[in-house]
């Protein structure tokens, strides 16, 4: 079996939904599981719905806009659509019923119950269309396949329970209904044992694809994107980026850890464990070769990759009594970061100061205030963190030319520089 993942941008409108069939026709006769995200910006819209609802606002109009958008796409791709329409509307009714009630004491749980509809709707439309276009297709509810804990908004997968569920749903015979390929299911969502919907974290559909591939021992995963693969830098920022046609899991994990946004960071571990290759390909240009990520590392160092994180805060933390920064302080400081859920992108210490670089978010600003109670805290705003893997001097020079360098760190393969914004 092959697993295909289509993200929100690839199914943002009727043309996108039709394009899914065009891709699948290239793989006629193969067993394919298609993992789909919510259409376009639906997840963002549903986030507004859930927060407004919890704030006591009337959200009926917002839901109505979403309903009209989804119905319009369905009507465009499935002209005789009564049956599919009824099915889609059922899920809108379900949501409206939920929103007609009162919020619970658990905001994150409410979030998951509401936001998950984006994926349910998009997959209903895709599967209604594919059933006609390919004459065969089945829809599966990912909540019957992916069992998670109750850590809402970043639920953790129960691999064993999920394996049993997947086995049950995908086995035919024994009075079970046969599985018709392609199978369409949702990314991003799962469910607890009690039947509460959970989500795996924003942009989690790539991870879902990897979960399914792992559980089904798939031969490969393909992420179909609006870019023709993984590049050595953000093509929107740099004129002559190069395609990384082949890199190892390790290298891809490092790149996504440092902030490359092509693949969700959690995606690679399950694939690596079962040696399942990941292909990143263009859903527009089906002949473009794309990128392959697998065990082979021989091309990792051929091209320097650079990742630029803008809007960083460089925070420097000093004990008030000018005592040395030792393990006890660090223990305390790390505890505050962990509790505030602020991720440290880079750190450096000297005798009297511990410096970190973090994303400039409201959470980081609150943390600075908290730190200031016990430490002297200074910070630099508007910094850029430039990471270069497999760096060479000309590349580094080009990236930092004429800029004020605040911190520089180098290992054998990775260079990291904190720059004042020019
Ligand atoms: N729809 C979800 C999001 O926008 C999951 C995903 O797209 O991967 O975060
Ligand atoms: Mg999305």
């Amino acid at each position: 079996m092959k697993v295909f993942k289509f993200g929100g941008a690839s199914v943002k409108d009727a043309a996108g939904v039709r394009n899914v069939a065009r891709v699948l026709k290239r793989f006629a006769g193969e067993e394919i599981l298609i993992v789909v995200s919510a259409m376009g910006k639906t997840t963002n819209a549903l986030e507004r719905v859930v927060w407004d609802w919890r704030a006591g606002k009337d959200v009926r109009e917002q839901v109505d806009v979403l309903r009209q958008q989804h119905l319009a796409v369905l009507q465009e791709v499935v002209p005789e659509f009564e049956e599919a329409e009824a099915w889609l509307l059922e899920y809108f009714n379900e949501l409206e019923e939920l929103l007609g009630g009162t919020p619970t004491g658990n905001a994150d749980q409410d979030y998951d119950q509401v936001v998950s509809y984006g994926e349910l709707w998009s997959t209903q439309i895709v599967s209604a269309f594919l059933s006609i276009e390919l004459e065969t297709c089945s829809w599966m509810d990912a909540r019957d396949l992916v069992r998670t804990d109750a850590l809402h908004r970043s639920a953790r997968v129960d691999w064993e329970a999920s394996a049993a569920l997947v086995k049950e749903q995908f086995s035919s015979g024994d009075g079970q209904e046969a599985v018709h390929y392609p199978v369409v299911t949702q990314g991003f969502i799962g469910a607890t044992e009690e039947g509460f919907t959970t989500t795996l974290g924003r942009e989690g559909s790539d991870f879902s694809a990897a979960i399914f591939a792992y559980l089904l021992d798939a031969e490969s995963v393909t992420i179909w994107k609006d870019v023709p693969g993984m590049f050595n830098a953000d093509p929107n920022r740099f004129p002559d980026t190069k395609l990384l046609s082949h890199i190892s899991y390790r290298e891809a994990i490092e790149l996504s850890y440092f902030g490359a946004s092509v693949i969700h960071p959690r995606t690679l571990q399950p694939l690596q464990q079962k040696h399942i290759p990941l292909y990143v390909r263009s859903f527009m240009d089906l002949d473009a070769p794309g990128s392959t990520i697998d065990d082979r590392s021989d091309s990792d160092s051929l091209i320097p990759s650079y990742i630029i994180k803008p809007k960083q805060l460089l925070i420097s933390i000093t004990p008030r009594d000018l005592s040395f920064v030792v393990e006890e302080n660090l223990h305390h400081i790390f505890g505050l970061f962990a509790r505030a859920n602020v991720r440290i992108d880079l750190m450096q210490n000297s005798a009297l100061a511990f410096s970190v670089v973090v994303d400039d978010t409201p959470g980081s600003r609150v943390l600075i205030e908290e730190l200031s109670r016990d430490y002297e805290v200074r910070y630099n705003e508007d910094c850029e963190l430039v990471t270069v893997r497999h760096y060479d001097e000309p590349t580094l020079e080009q990236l930092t030319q004429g800029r004020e360098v605040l911190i520089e760190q180098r290992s054998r393969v990775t260079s990291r520089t904190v720059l004042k914004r020019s």
Side-chain angles (χ1 to χ4, degrees), residues 282-329:
S282 159
F283 61 71
M284 293 317 298
D285 183 0
L286 302 184
D287 294 318
S291 301
T292 299
I293 298 153
D294 62 17
D295 283 312
R296 273 179 44 208
S297 60
D298 47 327
S299 335
D300 283 357
S301 55
L302 296 181
I303 301 172
S305 289
Y306 32 107
I307 300 148
I308 305 209
K309 293 194 92 185
K311 266 196 87 185
Q312 301 286 298
L313 280 173
L314 169 59
I315 309 175
S316 131
I317 305 158
T318 307
R320 286 206 187 280
D321 55 3
L322 287 190
S323 62
F324 290 136
V325 176
V326 289
E327 283 66 16
E328 287 93 279
N329 314 91

Side-chain angles (χ1 to χ4, degrees), residues 7-9 37-38 40 43 119 202-203 205:
S37 302
T43 306
E119 270 68 14
R202 287 302 308 262
E203 307 304 328
S205 293

Side-chain angles (χ1 to χ4, degrees), residues 109-279:
Q109 183 179 307
D110 284 352
Y111 174 101
D112 284 353
Q113 309 320 298
V114 172
V115 167
S116 50
Y117 277 95
E119 270 68 14
L120 294 165
W121 298 328
S122 66
T123 52
Q124 288 180 303
I125 294 172
V126 169
S127 88
F129 172 65
L130 293 181
S131 301
I132 292 167
E133 190 67 16
L134 306 175
E135 288 169 23
T136 150
C137 173
S138 35
W139 182 86
M140 283 194 197
D141 191 326
R143 296 170 300 182
D144 297 333
L145 302 168
V146 180
R147 171 76 76 244
T148 71
D149 66 6
L151 193 67
H152 287 282
R153 295 184 71 185
S154 47
R156 286 166 303 205
V157 177
D158 179 339
W159 294 93
E160 238 172 82
S162 304
L165 290 170
V166 162
K167 201 168 160 213
E168 190 185 302
Q169 297 285 333
F170 277 85
S171 65
S172 35
D174 282 1
Q176 299 251 23
E177 222 182 292
V179 176
H180 299 287
Y181 290 96
V183 172
V184 177
T185 194
Q186 305 79 43
F188 183 51
I189 73 174
T192 64
E193 209 182 329
E194 294 73 33
F196 283 103
T197 305
T198 52
T199 63
L200 305 170
R202 287 302 308 262
E203 307 304 328
S205 293
D206 291 354
F207 182 42
S208 296
I211 295 168
F212 290 118
Y214 180 94
L215 296 172
L216 289 158
D217 285 313
E219 63 171 88
S220 64
V221 173
T222 306
I223 298 183
W224 296 95
K225 293 197 68 92
D226 53 2
V227 288
M230 269 186 96
F231 285 80
N232 71 325
D234 181 355
N236 297 322
R237 267 192 77 150
F238 293 94
D240 37 50
T241 48
K242 295 192 188 77
L243 180 75
L244 301 171
S245 53
H246 191 172
I247 58 172
S248 68
Y249 298 114
R250 274 191 93 93
E251 182 66 16
I253 289 170
E254 294 279 7
L255 290 174
S256 60
Y257 173 83
F258 288 129
S261 59
V262 180
I263 312 168
H264 189 279
R266 283 160 87 191
T267 309
L268 294 150
Q269 276 97 352
L271 299 180
Q272 178 181 33
Q273 275 182 48
K274 290 217 174 165
H275 310 284
I276 300 169
L278 173 65
Y279 306 120

